[in-house]
Amino acid sequence: MVSPAIALAFVPLLLTLLIRYRYFFVLFYRAVLVRVWRDCVTGLSREERAYQYVLTHSTPGDPDSILDAFDVWCSKVEYISNIGPKKGKILDRLLMEQSPLTVLELGAHCGYSTVRIARALPLGARLYTIEMDQGNAAITEKIIRLAGFDDDTVELIVNPSDEVIPRLRSDYNLERLDFVFMDHWKKCYLPDLQLLEGCGLLGKGSVILADNVLFPGAPKFLRYLRKCGLYEWKIHRATLEYSTGIRDGMAELIYQGIK
Amino acid sequence: DREKKRRKNSRRKEASSSADREKELQPRHKKTERSRRRSAKNEQETKRSKRDEEGRGDDEENANEDEEVRPESLSPEELEKLKEAVDEKKKLIQSLRGKPWLMKKKLVTLRESQEFVEKYEGALGKGKGRKLYAYKVMMTKASRQWISLDTNVSSIYCHFGSSVASYFIFLRWMYGINMILFGLTFGLVMVPEALMGRPYGTIPRKTVPRAEEASAMDFAVLWDFKGYAQYSVLFYGYYNNQRAVGWLKFRMPLSYFLVGVGTVAYSYMVVIRTMARNANESGIGDDNSFNFSWKTFTSWDYLIGNPETADNKFASITTSFKEAILEEQESRKDDNIHLTRFLRVLANFLVLCCLAGSGYLIYFVVRRSQKFTLDGLENHTWWERNEVNMVMSLLGMFCPMLFDVISTLENYHPRVALQWQLGRIFALFLGNLYTFIIALMDEINLKREEEKIVKFNITTWEASLYNGTVSGNFTAPPVTIHPADVPRGPCWETMVGQEFVRLIISDTMTTYITLLIGDFLRAVLVRFLNYCWCWDLEAGFPSYSEFDVSGNVLGLIFNQGMIWMGAFYAPCLPALNVLRLHVSMYLQCWAVMCCNVPQERVFKASGSNNFYMAMLLVILFLSTLPAIYTIVTIPPSFDCGPFSGKNRMFDVIQETLESDFPAWFSKVFSYASNPGLVLPFILLMVLAIYYLQSTSKSYKQANVELKKKLQMVIYKLV
C-alpha cells in the first residue's frame, strides 16, 4: 500500500537512531541477552559465575587484585553493575577526604563496593553492609573474607534495608553514620533516605553517596533533594560503569541538619 | 499636557519607589540564589513595565509637546548632534539588557536615557515633518505591541538562551516581510481581479470544465487545489488578459508583472539592509588570545531567571572549560593527525553518499509520478499521488539528523561542526529543490507539447461548430456555447503554482506532525511513563527533546525560497505563508516552552545572525533564478493567465510603454536601454563596489590595529 520510496525515506531515521543510541543497544546486548544465554547454558547465576572467575584469577588477601579481577570480568566477559573503576575512584577520594568511622552500605550485590570501601577505611572504622538477597549475600560474604577483611571491619546484614535501618540504633548500637553508600534498588533510595533522617542516624556533615542517579535514574530522589533543603548536594558526572557512552552520575549529599 | 507630565512623573516615581522598596526588603532575608534571581526578574519586569508605560505615553508627548526645548533656537549642527545623541541613547536602551553591569547601574542609566529621549525626541521631530515623525514612532511602538510574541520571546530568552530566542526573532522578522508581500499580492493582484475583473463563469478560463464539474467541490479535490480552487484568483490561470479592467482602467497584466518583480526587489532590499545593519553590530569577533580569561569573566548569562537553566548553564560552562583545557592539551600534543584526517574524509564520504542517495530517491520518485500522470491520476492511491512531496519532506527531516550523527566522527570544535552541519543541510535542501524544479521543467515541456496539439484540436472543433449552421452564408449567427463546454488549452503556469502550493502544504503538515509526535507526544510519554518505568526516562534514553535551532532556521529559509519561487504563478502563496508563519509562531513558542528542555551546550549565536541572512540572500538569488528563466524563455500559455496571447511575458512592459506613456518617454527609455549606455553603467557600478570594498577593508585593518594597541596598553597597565 505504502510505496517503497516512502519506506526508503525512513532509512536515515533508522540509521540515526541506531548510531545515536548504540551504547544502549550494546548495553542491552551485554546485560540482558548474554546473561540469559549464559544462564541457560551454564546453569549458574551471574554472581556465581563472577565469583568463580574472581576465585581463579585473584590473590586472596589482596583487595586490589580482587577488584581488578572483577573489573576484567565485567568489562570483557559479562556485565554486572558494580560501581566500576572510574566512579570507584570518586568513591575512594570522598572516603579519603572524609575518613569516616562508621559507614553504612545499602546494597552490596557482589561485594565489589564493599571491598572498595573497606580498603579505603581508616583504622578502627567499621563498615555495615546490608544486602537483601540471600544468594548475593552468600557471595558477598565469601568475597569479603577472601579479601582479608575480618568481622571487626566489615559486618554483613542480610535483610531488606527498610527493616534494618530502624533497628540499627537498637540492635547494633549505632549513634551516627558518617558515610552512607546507596547502591540498591533505585526506587528505594528515597524511602531509605527518609528512614535514615527519621531515625536520627544522620548528623551534621554526614555524607551520603547515591550511585546511578542518572541512569537508570532515581527521579523522585532527586526531586526530593531539590525541594527539602536539608542537604548540600552535588552530582558527580561520569559515565556508566564499564561503558563509555552512557552518561551517569553519583549524587553526593552532605547533611546540614534541620534549621 | 503639563498635567499629563506630572501624572507620568508620579507614576514613574511610584514604580521606582516600589522597586527600591523591593530591593530594600530583599537583603533582610538571607540572600539565597533563588531570591536574588527573583529580585532580578522582578526588577526586569518593572523595567519592562516602565518601558511599556513610557512607550504608551510617549506618543502623546510627541504630539503635544510645547515647552522645554525650542528647536528654532538651535543651529543645524547642534540639531544634528542632538539627533545623534538621541539615536545613541535609543541604541543604549535597546542594548542595555545584554550589558554585564550591576542592576542598579542599569536602572539608573535606563531612567536617564529614557528621560533624555523623551525630552528631545519630540523636539527634534518638531522642526521638520513633526507629525510624520511622531506617527512613525507611534506605528513602530504599536506594531511591537500588536505582535504580542514580544513577551513570549523574552521568556524564551530567559529560559533557553540567546540561540533559541534568535530563531523566534528571525521568525518574527520573516513574518513581517511576508505580510508586506501578502499586502502587495492581495491588494494589487487578487482584489482587483476579484472585484473588477469578469466574474466566475463568464469566460472559459474562469470556469470549471464540464468534465470536472461533478467532482469540483469534493474535499479531496479541493485539498489538491483542483476543482473550484484552481479556477479562482488563487492561481495564475484565472486571470484575464484584458488590458484594462473596471472603471479605474486598472492595468491588470501590468500590475501582475510589476507585483511579481516588486516582491523580489523588495525582498532583496530588505535582506541586504538587515545584513548591513547586523554587520554594524556584529561585534569584535573572537580571537584566540586570552581564551581562558574571556571564558572566566564573560561566560555567565545574566538574563537567566530559571533554576533549571542556571544549572544547565553551570554544567555547560564547566564542560566548556574542560573542553578548552583538553583542546589546549591536544593542540600541544598534535598526534594521530592521520587518524583524524582519515575520519574526516570518511565522514565527508558518508555524507556525500547520503546526499547522492537522497537525490537519486527524489529523482526516482519524480519519474514515477510522471509515469502516474501519463497513466491518469485517478488510478492511483493518495499515497502515490503525493509521493514526491512526502518523500521530500521526510528526507528533509531525517537526513540532517544523520548528518549530525556522522559529524561526531569528525571531532571538530562545536562552532565549526555547526557550520559544516549547516552547509550540509543547505546542500541537501538545495539538491532536493533543484531536482524538484528539473522535474517540473520536464512537465512544463510536456504541457507545451500538448498545447500545440490542443490548438490544432480547437481550430477543428470551431470549424465543426460552424459547419452545422453555415451553408454558404458568410453572416453566421454567433453560436452561444456555455464556457464550461469549450475545450481548454493546458496551463503550465497553474500547474507550477499548484505544485508549489502542494509542496508547501505537505512540508507544513510534516513539520507540525513531527512537532506533535516528536516533541509533544514524547514529552507526555516521558512525563507520565516515568512513574512506572525501570529507568529514568527524563535523564536517560528518550528524555525531552532539545530545540534544533539550525534545522528550524534552515527549514524556514527554504520555505521562504519556495514561496519566492512560486509566488509569480500562484498569488495565493504569500497569503498561505502568512497564515503558516502565524500558526508556526504560536505553536512553536508553545511547544518550546512546554515540551523542550534547554540545550546542554548553550553557546552564543552571535555570529550566526549574519550567517542566516547570508544564506537567505543566497536562497533568494537561487530561487528567483528559475522563475526569471521561465518568464524570459518560455512563452506563456495561449489560453490562460494575464499574458495569454503575448509572445513573452515581459512584452507587457513594451506594450505599456507604447500605449500608456507619451511618445517621448518611450524614446527616452529606448535610448536608456541601449547597450552602449548600460555597459558603462554596469562598469561604473563594479568600480564603485570595488572602491567601497577596499575602503571597508582598510577600516577593518585600522580597527584591528587599534585593538592591538589597546591590548598592549592594558597589558602594560596590568
Side-chain angles (χ1 to χ4, degrees), chain B residues 76-143:
Chain B
E77 300 100 42
E78 287 179 5
L79 258 176
E80 266 300 312
K81 257 191 257 169
L82 195 59
K83 192 161 171 25
E84 274 178 42
V86 168
D87 282 331
E88 214 185 281
K89 288 283 181 194
K90 274 206 217 153
K91 239 193 220 173
L92 179 66
I93 292 178
Q94 274 184 0
S95 67
L96 198 57
R97 277 179 167 189
K99 293 223 194 279
W101 295 341
L102 292 176
M103 211 50 180
K104 208 175 197 177
K105 181 171 179 197
K106 276 198 215 184
L107 283 176
V108 165
T109 326
L110 177 72
R111 220 174 298 149
E112 286 174 7
S113 317
Q114 279 179 338
E115 282 173 23
F116 186 82
V117 167
E118 267 177 50
K119 223 162 64 150
Y120 293 110
E121 191 174 42
L124 277 179
K126 209 169 152 40
K128 354 178 165 153
R130 162 195 106 186
K131 282 222 176 72
L132 202 64
Y133 189 75
Y135 184 62
K136 192 171 95 171
V137 166
M138 188 181 76
M139 276 308 287
T140 44
K141 289 201 172 109
S143 67

Side-chain angles (χ1 to χ4, degrees), chain A residues 67 70-71 82-85 108 110-117 143 242:
Chain A
L67 294 176
F70 253 120
D71 286 337
N82 304 129
I83 192 175
C110 286
Y112 181 93
S113 43
T114 320
V115 170
R116 197 142 196 148
I117 295 178
I143 296 256
Y242 313 113

Side-chain angles (χ1 to χ4, degrees), chain A residues 44-97:
Chain A
L44 299 170
S45 81
R46 191 177 51 162
E47 291 77 18
E48 286 165 6
R49 290 196 290 274
Y51 176 63
Q52 277 189 347
Y53 183 87
V54 170
L55 204 53
T56 43
H57 287 84
S58 64
T59 330
D62 183 9
D64 292 331
S65 82
I66 292 184
L67 294 176
D68 284 338
F70 253 120
D71 286 337
V72 166
W73 192 82
C74 292
S75 32
K76 301 244 173 23
V77 181
E78 264 189 69
Y79 180 84
I80 279 193
S81 63
N82 304 129
I83 192 175
K86 293 216 179 78
K87 287 197 278 188
K89 287 208 187 104
I90 302 180
L91 175 64
D92 291 341
R93 179 174 64 88
L94 285 174
L95 281 171
M96 303 281 187
E97 285 172 9

Side-chain angles (χ1 to χ4, degrees), chain A residues 3-12, chain B residues 353-369 387-388 390-392 394-396 398-399 428 432 435:
Chain A
S3 75
I6 297 185
L8 268 181
F10 277 96
V11 163
Chain B
C353 284
C354 185
L355 282 174
S358 98
Y360 179 69
L361 189 63
I362 293 186
Y363 176 75
F364 171 74
V365 166
V366 160
R367 277 264 173 267
R368 237 161 81 98
S369 84
E387 227 179 14
V388 181
M390 285 228 61
V391 166
M392 276 186 70
L394 285 176
L395 279 179
F398 295 145
C399 284
L428 174 78
N432 289 356
T435 319

